[in-house]
Structures are given as C-alpha cells and as structure tokens.
Amino acid sequence: MSLGWRLLLAAAAALPAVSPAWAQGASTDVVIVLETQPDQLDPCQASKSQVGKVIKQNVVETVTEIDPTTGQVNPRLATEWSQVDDHTWRFKLREGVSFHDGTPFNAEALKHSIERTMDESIDCEIRVKYFGGLTLEVTPVGDYEVEIKTSTPTPILPTLMGTVVAMSTATPKGEITRDPIGTGPYRLEEWTPGQQIVLTRTDDYWGDQPAVTKATYIWRSESTVRAAMVASGEADIAPNIAVQDATDPEMDFSFLNSETSRLRIDAEIPPLDDRRVRLALNYATDREGMRGTIFSDKVIPSTQHVVPGINGHNPDLVPYPYDPEKAMELLAEAKADGVPVDREIILIGRHNLYPNSQESLQALEAMYEAVGFNITLKMTEAAEWYDLLFKPYAEDRAPNLFQEQHDNNNGDAVFTIFVKYHSDGGQSTFSDAEVDDLIDRGGQATGEERTKLYQQAFKRIHEEIVPDVSLFHMVGFTRVNPRLDFTPSIATNSELQLAEIGFNNS
Amino acid sequence: MQKSTLLALLRSDRVALVAAVWLVLIAGVALVGPEIVGKAATSIDLRARNAPPFDFSRDWVHWLGSDSLGRGILARIFLAARTTLGIALASVLVSMIVGGVLGIVAGLSRGRLGKVIMRSMDVVMSFPSLLMALIVLYVLGGAPANIVVVLAITRLPVYVRTARAEVLEIRERAFISAALVMGARPFHLALHHITPLVLPTLLIIGSLDFAYVMLAESALSFLGMGVQPPSITWGLMVAEGRGYLASAWWLAFWPGLFIMLTALAANLLAGWFRIANDPTLRAAQGDASHA
Amino acid sequence: MNRFVLRHGTQSLFALLCLLVLVFFLARLTGDPTDLYLPMDASLEQRAAFAESHGFNDPLVVQFGRYLAGLARFDFGDSLFQGRPAIDAVLAAFPVTLKLAGITLALALSLAILIGSLAAWRPRSVFDRIASMLTIASASAPDFWVAIVAILVFAVSLGWLPTSGMGTAAHWIMPVGVLMVRPLGLLTQIVRAAMIGALASPYVKTARAKGAGKSRIIFVHGLRNAMLTVVTVAGDQAATLINGAVVVETVFGWPGIGNLMIQAIQQRDFAVLQACILVTALAIFVMNLLIDIAYSRLDPRIRNA
C-alpha cells in the first residue's frame, strides 16, 4: 500500500509546472479567432463571410468599396466611374498597383478577374449571389480603363463592383484555387486547413502601410471559448460572441451587424392564410421580454427585413406591440369564421442560426401557446433548414413558422425584397400583385423614386400582408484585446480589415 | 440464486447498497418525476434566467439554479430522467432480445444462416459505433425511437457473440445431445432448454451495458445528433448549457453529474451482480480478502 | 496460421465493402448539398444548374458506379466545399487523430498497469479500494462533460492551460487527459483482475516465498502472466478510442478525423465522408490484422487451428 501511495505522489509531483507558453508572439502580430474555418480561400468566394473575414480587403481588394453604414460607393481599385448608356459603364483604374506575384494591376488583369468570377464552370459565390442572370462584357480602354457592358440595364453596377475582387492573371480559370493572389496589404503566408491561416504584411502596398505585421487566424465554434481566449491573451479579436459572454465593457464591442431576424409565416396554408391569425402571432410576440435577456438589450425591434441605412428602408413603420388580449380576440374572431386556429403549427428552427437561437424559439413557442396557438417546435440542421427555406415547398406541408436571419450590407433593398417578398422570389410565401408591382418598378428606378417605391412596398408588406413576425435588427458582439486600437463595426460581419487595427502601446 | 440471499448479500456490501438506492431513486424520478414537477419544467420565466443555485428561498425546483429560460434545473433534470433512462433501458432490452435470439439461432444453425448472422455482426463491429450512429441519425433524425434502434444495433454484436458461444457450449452437453438424437424440434429445444441457460449471462451483460448505452446516448445528444428539443435528455441539457459555461456553470454541471452518478451506480451494481452470480469469482474475492 | 489471418482478412474486407455501400446510399438519402453550398439569394435556375453540373440529379446507381470507377483509379472524388481532393483532406486530418489516440492509449496502458498492479498486490487494502472506486468512476464519466468542466476549471477560471486548439505541449494536456479517463478506468480494472489471478499462480507464490522484491514480483513475474489479457482488451479499446476522439476533437477544436467527419456529414460533403470512412475502416482493418497475427503467434490453440 505505502509503495502505491509513494509512486502516485511522485507521479503527481513530476507533472511540470505549466507556464502560458501558448500566448502571444511579437507585439505587432495579432491572432484572430473565428467561429468557423473557411473551407476555401478562392478570391471569387470573398463574399462568403468566413472567407471574406480573412481575405477581403486584406489579401484581395474590391473594385469599389461600399460604406456599410450609408450604402455610399467609394473608390478602391477603381478611382472613378461613369455611365455611358443604359447598358454601359466605364471604370478608371488606380495606377501603380501590383499583385503579390509582381504582375501589374491593369485593365487586362481586371478583365481576367471579372471573366473568371463570371465563369459558370466554377461556382463563384460572387457571381451566384450578385450577378444571377446578368452577363458582363469587359473591354479594356487603354491600360487603366475598362468599359463594362451589361446584358440588362444595371443602374447599381458601381455597387455591384463593390463585391468583385481583383486577382492576378496567374489565377487559373475554370478551377478553384487555394492560392489567392491579390493586391491587398497582406499576402497569404501559410494555410494549414483545420489549424490556422497566416497572413503577413507586404512591403509594396499602394496605400498606407498598416500597423499589423502578421495576422494568424484560428477558429473555435464555442463562443465561450472564443471569449475566454481573448481574455487570457491567447487571441486578440473574437468576432461574434454570444450576449452572455460579452460581460466586459472594456473588451466587448456591440454593433448592429446588418442582420435582421424574423419568423416567416407560411401564408398559403390554413390557418396561417388568414390575416387575423398572422396579426395575432405578431401581437403575441413579447419582443421587450426577450430583449435584454435572450437577446442583447441593444437589439432593435424590427418592422422590415432590412436595416436602417439600406436604401428603401421605411423609417415610419412601427413594430407591433405586445398585446396578448388582442391576439386572443383576433384568434377568437378567426375561429368564429371557421378558420382552423387549433391546427398544429410547426415552428421550424435552426441550431446556432444566431447565439441563443434555440432559447428564443422555446420562448416564442411558450408565448404563442399562451394565447391559444398549438405550436410544435422542430429544430433542424443547416442542410434540412435550407431545403425548407427555398421553393419549391412541399405540397403537403404543415402550416409553419420558419426562423430565419438575413443580412443585407450591400446598401440596397433589392438584395432582400425580391427574394423574400416578390411572388417570383425563391423564398416568398405569399403573392400580392401590388407588392410585385412596387418591387418591379423599384428595381428599374433610380434615386429617390427607387427609395420611395421600396418604402411603399415595405409599408404594404408590414401593415397589410403581414407575412412574417419581424423580430429584431440584431447586434453582434466582438471581443477585442485592449492592447489593440480597433473598433468593430457593421462591416465586421463580412470582412475584417487588418489595416484598421492599431496598437495602444506602440 | 435465491432472491433473499441476493438481498442479504447486497446489505453486506455498503457500496453496492448505496448504488442500488441511487438507482431506485432515479428510477422513481423517471417514473413519476415529470408528473411531480409538472408545468415547472416547461414554463418560461425570462426574469429568472440563469438564476444561480442554492437559493433556498425559492421553490425547490430552483435549488440547483435556473436555466437560460428561467426553468428550474432540478425540474428539467426530473423531466429528462424519463427520456434518458427510457432510451437507455429500451436500447439494452432491444439489443439483448434481438441479439439473444440471433445468437441462439446462429449457435444452433450449422448452415449458411449462422454464417450470415456472424458476418453481419463483423460489419457492425468493424466501425466506430459513434460515427456509425452519427451518420444513421443524421439520415433518420433524432427521434427517441431512432436513437433506440441505432444504439441497439451498435451493441448487438456483444449479445450475439455471447449467446452463440454459450449455445455452442450447451449443445455439447449430454441432455441436449440426447434431445437432438431423439428428434426434438429445434424451436422447442431453443425455447425450453437453451434460453433459460443463456439468459443469466445476457442479463449480466445487459446490466453492464446500461451505463455504456446511457453514456453513448448522452454523447450523441451532446454532438447535436441525438434527441432534439423540445424533448430533453441529460446529455442535451449539458449541450445546451455549454454555451453558458463561463457565465452560468450550473446549466451544464448538474445534468452531467447526474449522468455520471447514474452510470457509476449502474457500473458498480453490475459489477457486484456479476460477482454475486459467479461462485468462482465470489470465492476469489473472499479468498483474496484474506491474503 | 496464414490461413487464419487470410480468412479474417477477407472477411474484414467484405465488411468494409458493405460499409461503403451502406454509407454511400444512406448519405444521399438526406438530399444533396446544393442549397448548403450556394448563397441564400441564388435563384431556382442557378440551383438547378448547380445540381445538374455536379451530377446530383443522376440516378443513385449511376452516381455509385461513378464512385466505384473512381475508386478503382484511386480517385476518391473532390471535396465540394474545400475545392481539393477529398483524400487530401482526410490524410491531413488522420495523423492528428492517430497521434491523439496513440499517445492516450500508451499513457492509459502504462498508468493502468501501474495502478492496477499495485491495487492487486493487496486486494481490499485502502489503496485498492480507493483505486477501484476511482477507476469505476472514471469508466462512468461522460467524456464530453469532463472536457467542458476541465475547460471551465483549468482554462477559464485558473488560466493554467489553453482553452483549446493544438500547437504547444500545453495544448495536449487536456485533450489527452480527457480522452484517457474512460480507457484508463476500464484498463485498470482489467489489469487488477488479471494480476490478482497471476499473483495467485503457484510460481509467483514461490517467488514470493523465496523473498523476491516486491516490484520484481509484480512487474516481472506477475505482469508477464497478465499481459495477454491486458493486450487483448487494449486492442478492443483502440477502436473505441476513435469514438472518444470524435467528442474530444469537437470540444477542443482539433482538426482530426472525427471533426472532419462531423463537418462532412453536416455539409453533405459526400466525397469527404466516404474517404473518411474508407480510411478509418482501413486503419481498423490493419490494426485487427496485426492483432490477429500477434494472437496466432502467441496462442498455440489458434496456431494449430
């Protein structure tokens, strides 16, 4: 017996004293801990948020740059642009810019970049997401100017060019590359899939030299872990942590992240085809009860599926108040008219759609059952959720409420309103000729008229159609190590510009 | 072995007794717990969100704290006990019965059938069970019945192999050989002469397996491929509490502790049961204690 | 002996083939990855074109034929999401899991032999009782829960260890420690039981009577006798370790095979999923083969069969 104890104690004593050797390297290096790893780093996927957070504006740069708070289009690789006719635009390019492989950025390079992005044999997200059904014909006009002809009149082409990135002509067409060569202030130094990505600063960037010399990207799916890593000095920036982990006002920044959450109501299936039932759902939703508990106290109850600041957002709409009595009245009325309000309604949710998403659904389920709805919660994985999000919907589906979140940080309501509310949109659940007409006319118009038409559409959708329970304009929390001088913003969702990071002690 | 001697044996082993008492308590909770806590386990109170444990001024269901929707954690544990233990018990029963039958058939059949059974068990054995379960549950969805089936399948080989080995040994015994020579029908033989002999061994394996299956179900739920909300198991409670690790440790801690204590009790009791049932082991234990 | 190994080998290969067929069709029952891959705003036409160009609309049998034809050329298909050959992704992840499992098993085995032997020296002594209790407790511990409690205590509260990830030696302590918990418990119990038997054997008793040193009796005479049982169980544990590795990799964010497979399942990245299963099953197959060969050399009954 005594031998046993002695050996065990010896073993315990032999455990080395552990020092935090895993912590920081040089003082101008930063470590950024993301939620998920990017599967690809191809420049033409830069619009995917997990790809964009690493390479967008760091390794590869866009032609124009959109200010996410105002929607205004600013110069980046293009210095100025003008419309020639309905179908044609000209872009003047910045001179003296070169790619990391030494080749110059010029009209030919941009032509190559656009053609590769629009190539249908690879599935570039920039093409699929922003240029569906549109074809571009690029003609160099001298070394530093291009003319772009579009297949249909495209008044927002300069905005769209804010999504297109320039890549070296060495980037092969027709296949996905794992070696992004751009014009940005950082080059891809190392990529160990599953483990880390390292960017290092280049010496010959055309703009001001940023302060950060090296950025290492790692990823952890747990918000708690990400937050703890910044607190302990293992990492410097942790985007998108959950509200319960954002406990330190010194380190945690909150900002509207351009996401809006809602429950889509399947307005084609009884009893949800009755407007009173849809209104009842809205009145039964205690948004204030969820704010400051499940959601941050900084979220804004929403009235429409785009955030303020997006062209077309209607500031005059008011959220439905929490009024369970009114909800019950509406339900009773509908019931008296023979609407089957007792029918089981499926509340379809998705794991981790946003922090605490599952809790919010359980709370909503309880609120709806409290006014007399018969709700069954069904949680889905991403794959199943996507199946249910898109048309064609199953013919024999049950009446359902569908949890979703949508981000539009591209300045214009068109990226939202058609898909979600037009009867031809891939995710709409009702069809209304007047809404269709407003959306169609808005899409063709420019300037104030465009804004007005979209605002009218949102008003009709919110007040007359009621095809959703609009929840909140969401808030993101990013934890930043106090040694950094960096304020996350609405754009941090889709890009994280290393050039904006400074150091407090250096 | 007589029941009364078993009880006497149990009383003489304090550790086993404590384990048995815990299991009886938990079984009681699984049986009537959800009815006792009633609405308290499901009604939401956002003001009590993540209320800390040991506040004895509140209702007893909140003594272990409240979860992220303000529901008493003890109430949730009571509610989840039924699903957790139910799935584990059902899986063990299904794999024991199906595995036992297949094993006896494989043992009695000298032909192709036996070979097919054993080869398919090899297929099941040839791959990490958790990965297999993940794939199947992803296809089928995490309904409790599906989990029972998947867990039962992954445990099947143990029972099939044991039952078959026992049968192979039993069929060489004189009275079975005699019965075979006299032309007894295999079915009759299996039911009346072999099953009673194989059953005790299978029961012991089943009791050992219970903890294993419960841990497997918890791991599946934890990975998000098991039971889905609003259904609840202890494993799922740990998974849900994981997001509050830094701010409210009690969400994930208590259900995990219940899993551990219950698995521990089941393992202790199963080990004791095995020894109590095996005269040679019992003798060895007694002998060893004098050494 | 060779015939025995050969027969087991072909049987395992057959099992592997069944597994592949099963997984191929099961995975595709969940639908195709089109919606997951394309952005939410993609139009219906774009979705249809994508599914068509990647062959998701072909009959399953045609897709399976294409897969087998690829396999014959050692082409495991490309990962849709990663834009590289699936086998590359798997071969990058596999060594991580192998190393994790290998180190854990070696450590668990050494510790189990130490504790189990000492416990067996005087059964029912205080050390034995405590060790037995602890090992049963550790065999009953839910590994995922132990992992998150460990993160809470050692990384978040005390700040002694990094929360997760790999890199320095400090990163290995928690994952290996957590993964070790259950096998350690089981193996210690096995060692203890085997050692009690071995120590009671006549020739160990003789050695004891002759006054041989304690450690010599345990680690030379006793252990040699107990080893065959222990190695058998440890072999079984190796496959089970992969189960635990899935959980540990998920919690600690390790880029191993378990993490990759869960990701592939969730993304419906079929090529990666199939390659994962193929490589894992092959590894287990090779391990079983080695164990079979070892047995056939050690155990005279099998040698002569």
Side-chain angles (χ1 to χ4, degrees):
Chain A
M1 171 184 128
S2 57
L3 175 70
W5 287 115
R6 250 181 299 151
L7 273 171
L8 267 194
L9 284 175
L15 280 175
V18 188
S19 67
W22 61 88
Q24 295 307 317
S27 59
T28 52
D29 295 354
V30 296
V31 177
I32 296 166
V33 54
L34 306 170
E35 287 172 272
T36 48
Q37 63 167 320
D39 291 317
Q40 305 180 5
L41 289 180
D42 194 294
C44 77
Q45 311 284 14
S47 58
K48 291 190 178 187
S49 72
Q50 80 267 33
V51 182
K53 276 190 190 121
V54 179
I55 64 169
K56 195 171 175 189
Q57 314 299 25
N58 294 330
V59 177
V60 294
E61 295 178 281
T62 50
V63 180
T64 61
E65 189 173 359
I66 300 151
D67 183 329
T69 45
T70 60
Q72 198 193 331
V73 186
N74 296 323
R76 184 93 189 195
L77 287 176
T79 49
E80 52 188 283
W81 47 88
S82 57
Q83 188 161 21
V84 179
D85 58 50
D86 269 2
H87 289 80
T88 317
W89 285 80
R90 277 187 180 213
F91 290 80
K92 277 213 169 77
L93 307 184
R94 194 176 293 279
E95 297 183 27
V97 176
S98 59
F99 290 101
H100 301 144
D101 61 357
T103 57
F105 168 74
N106 54 24
E108 277 304 324
L110 183 60
K111 179 175 155 70
H112 173 266
S113 302
I114 293 178
E115 283 175 356
R116 182 172 182 277
T117 307
M118 300 302 146
D119 183 357
E120 300 219 347
S121 66
I122 51 174
D123 308 294
C124 291
E125 175 164 306
I126 293 174
R127 167 178 66 86
V128 176
K129 188 165 180 175
Y130 300 107
F131 293 90
L134 194 66
T135 52
L136 305 185
E137 191 189 316
V138 187
T139 324
V141 185
D143 270 357
Y144 293 100
E145 190 169 4
V146 292
E147 190 173 272
I148 301 179
K149 270 192 187 319
T150 56
S151 54
T152 51
T154 313
I156 57 162
L157 191 64
T159 306
L160 288 176
M161 292 312 280
T163 67
V164 173
V165 300
M167 56 200 104
S168 160
T169 45
T171 317
K173 282 186 185 174
E175 61 177 280
I176 293 291
T177 179
R178 293 175 73 78
D179 183 20
I181 306 169
T183 57
Y186 295 86
R187 67 165 76 230
L188 178 66
E189 181 74 31
E190 181 206 326
W191 178 14
T192 317
Q195 212 164 331
Q196 63 174 9
I197 294 171
V198 179
L199 304 185
T200 49
R201 192 172 68 187
T202 62
D203 293 328
D204 43 7
Y205 181 56
W206 60 267
D208 296 333
Q209 199 176 51
V212 172
T213 46
K214 183 176 139 190
T216 304
Y217 295 83
I218 50 179
W219 33 85
R220 303 285 181 266
S221 53
E222 308 292 316
S223 159
T224 309
V225 169
R226 289 198 299 280
M229 287 175 81
V230 175
S232 70
E234 274 181 77
D236 294 298
I237 301 178
N240 211 6
I241 59 173
V243 55
Q244 61 265 23
D245 295 314
T247 47
D248 186 347
E250 288 278 292
M251 295 193 282
D252 298 319
F253 293 85
S254 72
F255 49 89
L256 283 171
N257 62 5
S258 81
E259 300 270 8
T260 307
S261 59
R262 71 161 180 167
L263 296 181
R264 180 180 75 185
I265 303 175
D266 195 336
E268 288 169 348
I269 309 278
L272 299 175
D273 58 346
D274 189 282
R275 179 170 171 271
R276 286 167 301 191
V277 176
R278 300 198 295 271
L279 273 176
L281 283 167
N282 271 287
Y283 284 117
T285 307
D286 184 4
R287 293 177 181 78
E288 287 306 317
M290 293 192 285
R291 201 159 78 110
T293 53
I294 299 171
F295 294 100
S296 156
D297 55 358
K298 302 201 174 59
V299 297
I300 301 172
S302 61
T303 53
Q304 52 208 301
H305 218 37
V306 293
V307 290
I310 297 290
N311 183 30
H313 178 271
N314 188 334
D316 302 329
L317 304 181
V318 278
Y320 289 99
Y322 175 52
D323 189 347
E325 273 81 48
K326 182 141 189 191
M328 283 189 251
E329 260 169 48
L330 283 162
L331 274 187
E333 237 177 76
K335 188 171 188 175
D337 288 350
V339 178
V341 296
D342 302 327
R343 200 170 160 196
E344 180 188 49
I345 296 171
I346 315 285
L347 176 55
I348 300 165
R350 173 176 156 192
H351 288 293
N352 301 323
L353 184 61
Y354 37 78
N356 303 346
S357 99
Q358 188 185 306
E359 278 104 324
S360 73
L361 288 178
Q362 293 193 17
L364 285 168
E365 180 189 16
M367 289 169 198
Y368 297 154
E369 294 206 317
V371 298
F373 280 103
N374 174 6
I375 306 277
T376 304
L377 176 59
K378 179 172 187 279
M379 294 304 293
T380 58
E381 282 299 322
E384 193 185 358
W385 183 85
Y386 275 110
D387 285 346
L388 298 167
L389 171 66
F390 298 117
K391 288 178 182 174
Y393 308 126
E395 282 294 327
D396 55 350
R397 65 192 185 277
N400 63 84
L401 306 172
F402 187 87
Q403 176 197 29
E404 58 170 308
Q405 170 175 265
H406 170 73
D407 87 316
N408 179 345
N409 48 13
N410 299 296
D412 195 277
V414 69
F415 300 109
T416 303
I417 200 164
F418 184 85
V419 208
K420 304 279 179 192
Y421 300 116
H422 193 283
S423 58
D424 291 336
Q427 303 165 29
S428 64
T429 50
F430 67 95
S431 76
D432 179 71
E434 198 178 325
V435 170
D436 284 358
D437 178 57
L438 287 167
I439 295 175
D440 287 337
R441 282 195 290 143
Q444 298 303 318
T446 49
E448 244 173 69
E449 202 198 336
R450 185 181 178 97
T451 312
K452 248 203 192 121
L453 286 164
Y454 281 149
Q455 285 181 344
Q456 282 176 29
F458 277 124
K459 185 178 164 69
R460 181 165 171 80
I461 291 164
H462 179 68
E463 289 172 0
E464 301 304 321
I465 315 281
V466 205
D468 44 26
V469 177
S470 202
L471 292 172
F472 298 106
H473 297 309
M474 305 291 274
V475 162
F477 286 94
T478 293
R479 179 168 278 199
V480 180
N481 193 319
R483 78 185 184 97
L484 263 51
D485 174 22
F486 174 65
T487 310
S489 72
I490 187 165
T492 314
N493 223 22
S494 54
E495 63 185 51
L496 209 166
Q497 295 202 27
L498 295 170
E500 291 173 358
I501 300 174
F503 294 94
N504 282 328
N505 300 333
S506 55
Chain B
M1 175 158 300
Q2 293 293 310
K3 265 186 196 153
S4 52
T5 36
L6 254 180
L7 274 179
L9 262 177
L10 189 58
R11 223 172 293 142
S12 68
D13 186 335
R14 246 174 302 157
V15 176
L17 187 65
V18 172
V21 169
W22 173 262
L23 282 185
V24 169
L25 275 180
I26 290 293
V29 164
L31 277 179
V32 295
E35 279 69 33
I36 292 177
V37 294
K39 275 258 169 207
T42 48
S43 57
I44 284 165
D45 175 12
L46 291 177
R47 274 160 310 164
R49 175 175 157 85
N50 295 346
F54 311 124
D55 177 358
F56 298 109
S57 63
R58 300 192 62 203
D59 206 16
W60 64 274
V61 295
H62 294 278
W63 284 358
L64 295 184
S66 309
D67 72 1
S68 57
L69 292 170
R71 301 168 296 202
I73 288 184
L74 203 52
R76 299 292 288 167
I77 286 178
F78 273 36
L79 182 66
R82 181 175 292 172
T83 354
T84 311
L85 299 190
I87 289 176
L89 194 65
S91 308
V92 168
L93 283 179
V94 169
S95 54
M96 189 157 68
I97 292 168
V98 176
V101 169
L102 286 178
I104 292 173
V105 170
L108 287 177
S109 139
R110 290 250 183 226
R112 195 169 289 160
L113 183 61
K115 279 210 174 105
V116 169
I117 292 175
M118 295 319 288
R119 287 301 79 76
S120 25
M121 288 307 111
D122 286 348
V123 176
V124 177
M125 290 276 281
S126 70
F127 203 70
S129 52
L130 191 59
L131 292 181
M132 204 65 235
L134 281 179
I135 299 170
V136 175
L137 285 179
Y138 189 70
V139 176
L140 299 178
N146 294 343
I147 298 172
V148 168
V149 171
V150 168
L151 288 177
I153 289 176
T154 59
R155 298 309 293 162
L156 215 49
V158 184
Y159 297 94
V160 174
R161 292 184 168 195
T162 314
R164 178 171 170 272
E166 291 266 316
V167 171
L168 287 184
E169 191 253 329
I170 292 168
R171 60 183 288 163
E172 301 308 323
R173 290 189 196 171
F175 75 99
I176 303 282
S177 308
L180 277 173
V181 169
M182 287 162 66
R185 291 182 32 229
F187 179 76
H188 178 85
L189 194 68
L191 194 66
H192 292 276
H193 298 290
I194 293 183
T195 308
L197 289 171
V198 176
L199 202 58
T201 319
L202 291 186
L203 279 175
I204 289 175
I205 296 182
S207 67
L208 277 169
D209 234 21
F210 181 79
Y212 183 94
V213 168
M214 196 178 73
L215 290 173
E217 178 275 316
S218 303
L220 281 174
S221 294
F222 178 78
L223 291 173
M225 298 285 178
V227 167
Q228 300 295 321
S231 296
I232 188 78
T233 66
W234 291 339
L236 187 59
M237 285 180 75
V238 177
E240 289 183 347
R242 178 159 68 148
Y244 296 90
L245 212 50
S247 48
W249 55 267
W250 48 94
L251 265 64
F253 181 80
W254 297 120
L257 193 66
F258 269 75
I259 298 175
M260 167 133 175
L261 290 179
T262 308
L264 179 59
N267 273 335
L268 283 172
L269 207 62
W272 172 84
F273 186 57
R274 195 179 44 153
I275 292 168
N277 250 304
D278 188 331
T280 51
L281 269 174
R282 216 161 79 213
Q285 283 278 330
D287 186 33
S289 63
H290 299 300
Chain C
M1 164 203 144
N2 284 335
R3 267 184 48 207
F4 167 78
V5 171
L6 198 69
R7 205 186 70 210
H8 260 215
T10 43
Q11 278 167 8
S12 310
L13 272 184
F14 172 75
L16 183 61
L17 199 71
C18 291
L19 201 68
L20 269 185
V21 176
L22 203 68
V23 168
F24 186 94
F25 289 100
L26 268 184
R28 277 159 183 79
L29 282 181
T30 62
D32 71 59
T34 305
D35 293 339
L36 277 173
Y37 188 83
L38 294 181
M40 272 170 63
D41 339 50
S43 68
L44 297 177
E45 296 76 42
Q46 284 173 323
R47 282 167 206 288
F50 180 89
E52 188 63 41
S53 74
H54 287 272
F56 297 133
N57 291 343
D58 297 338
L60 279 186
V61 186
V62 174
Q63 294 187 41
F64 189 60
R66 209 158 43 212
Y67 173 61
L68 286 184
L71 271 191
R73 286 176 279 117
F74 290 99
D75 175 2
F76 299 86
D78 287 341
S79 162
L80 180 63
F81 286 81
Q82 302 191 23
R84 61 170 172 167
I87 196 74
D88 288 5
V90 175
L91 291 183
F94 202 67
V96 174
T97 306
L98 214 56
K99 234 158 117 187
L100 180 65
I103 291 178
T104 306
L105 191 61
L107 262 177
L109 203 53
S110 337
L111 272 178
I113 287 174
L114 186 69
I115 301 174
S117 309
L118 292 174
W121 178 252
R122 282 189 206 284
R124 309 232 125 197
S125 66
V126 180
F127 180 83
D128 177 36
R129 280 166 183 243
I130 293 180
S132 292
M133 202 60 206
L134 282 181
T135 51
I136 295 182
S138 78
S140 315
D143 36 18
F144 56 91
W145 180 71
V146 175
I148 62 174
V149 171
I151 291 182
L152 180 66
V153 174
F154 295 110
V156 176
S157 303
L158 297 173
W160 290 354
L161 294 170
T163 47
S164 56
M166 54 190 306
T168 65
H171 285 93
W172 286 75
I173 295 177
M174 275 203 286
V176 169
V178 169
L179 189 53
M180 201 167 67
V181 166
R182 271 170 78 185
L184 178 62
L186 283 172
L187 287 173
T188 309
Q189 289 174 37
I190 302 290
V191 171
R192 178 184 173 274
M195 278 300 271
I196 288 180
L199 289 179
S201 69
Y203 93 102
V204 172
K205 277 187 172 158
T206 317
R208 249 181 172 174
K210 279 183 178 169
K214 180 176 178 180
S215 47
R216 195 178 154 74
I217 293 175
I218 291 182
F219 294 110
V220 178
H221 299 290
L223 200 56
R224 198 191 291 155
N225 276 14
M227 215 47 208
L228 193 70
T229 330
V230 174
V231 168
T232 315
V233 179
D236 284 349
Q237 281 297 303
T240 320
L241 263 183
I242 306 270
N243 281 340
V246 176
V247 172
V248 168
E249 285 169 14
T250 312
V251 177
F252 291 101
W254 276 37
I257 199 93
N259 225 340
L260 183 68
M261 195 183 283
I262 288 185
Q263 190 195 335
I265 290 174
Q266 285 172 347
Q267 289 182 332
R268 295 177 182 166
D269 202 340
F270 300 138
V272 173
L273 180 63
Q274 286 149 9
C276 277
I277 285 169
L278 198 69
V279 171
T280 314
L282 263 179
I284 291 173
F285 164 70
V286 169
M287 197 191 70
N288 283 336
L289 205 64
L290 290 178
I291 291 177
D292 281 349
I293 292 173
Y295 280 173
S296 66
R297 293 193 177 234
L298 286 173
D299 194 330
R301 279 170 303 176
I302 296 180
R303 192 162 51 210
N304 299 334

